[in-house]
């Protein structure tokens, strides 16, 4: 068989480029609004009335970035949940500076962690 080496760039099929663009848009929205931006509103939440929106309660309302973090979330700092101290803040501007914390220290997740049974805390 013949081997053909082309110098022209190979373009992705149309549907692949749309998927890539959608993934990029999703990651931008996650960075701006949080990964839980499409969380449902809790029942009984006051919502301003709109002329376009009917008073139909069957459609769920969405509330961006309002879900509280859990100690099970992968982006929550497990050390902060266990100890109550952000270890990345301990040595700021020293030789032992760890840099920015890649995870989020969250007080709500810490309270949830403290309420767990001992065997579950050890598992995390």
């Amino acid at each position: 068989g013949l081997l053909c080496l082309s110098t022209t760039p190979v373009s992705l099929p149309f549907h692949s480029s749309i998927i890539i663009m959608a993934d990029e848009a999703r990651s931008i929205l996650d960075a701006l609004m949080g990964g839980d931006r499409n969380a449902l509103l809790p029942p009984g939440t006051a919502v301003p009335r709109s002329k376009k929106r009917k008073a139909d309660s069957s459609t769920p309302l969405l509330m961006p970035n309002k879900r509280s973090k859990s100690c099970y979330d992968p982006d929550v700092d497990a050390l902060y949940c266990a100890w109550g101290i952000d270890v990345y803040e301990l040595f700021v501007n020293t030789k032992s500076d760890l840099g920015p914390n890649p995870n989020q220290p969250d007080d709500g997740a810490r309270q949830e962690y403290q309420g767990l049974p001992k065997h579950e805390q050890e598992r995390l």
Side-chain angles (χ1 to χ4, degrees):
L2 294 173
L3 178 62
C4 178
L5 297 176
S6 174
T7 58
T8 59
V10 177
S11 64
L12 294 172
F14 182 71
H15 67 281
S16 295
S17 61
I18 289 176
I19 292 172
I20 292 171
M21 288 188 296
D23 288 341
E24 289 177 4
R26 188 177 303 109
S27 68
I28 291 171
L29 286 171
D30 286 347
L32 290 173
M33 301 172 67
D36 54 350
R37 66 184 179 280
N38 294 334
L40 294 177
L41 284 171
T45 303
V47 178
R49 297 221 184 257
S50 168
K51 292 179 185 177
K52 295 179 184 176
R53 180 167 170 79
K54 296 178 183 176
D56 182 18
S57 63
S58 65
T59 58
L61 298 173
L62 300 177
M63 179 172 56
N65 206 14
K66 293 299 180 188
R67 185 181 70 87
S68 61
K69 292 289 185 182
S70 170
C71 61
Y72 294 100
D73 289 345
D75 62 336
V76 170
D77 190 357
L79 295 175
Y80 182 80
C81 288
W83 300 337
I85 297 171
D86 184 4
V87 295
Y88 288 83
E89 295 286 323
L90 290 177
F91 304 108
V92 175
N93 296 328
T94 66
K95 241 179 170 178
S96 301
D97 191 347
L98 298 173
N101 191 343
N103 299 315
Q104 300 175 3
D106 189 86
D107 291 325
R110 175 165 166 68
Q111 291 174 355
E112 177 189 13
Y113 177 84
Q114 289 175 331
L116 294 175
K118 192 71 170 171
H119 69 276
E120 186 68 17
Q121 288 180 357
E122 291 172 358
R123 187 179 73 82
L124 289 176

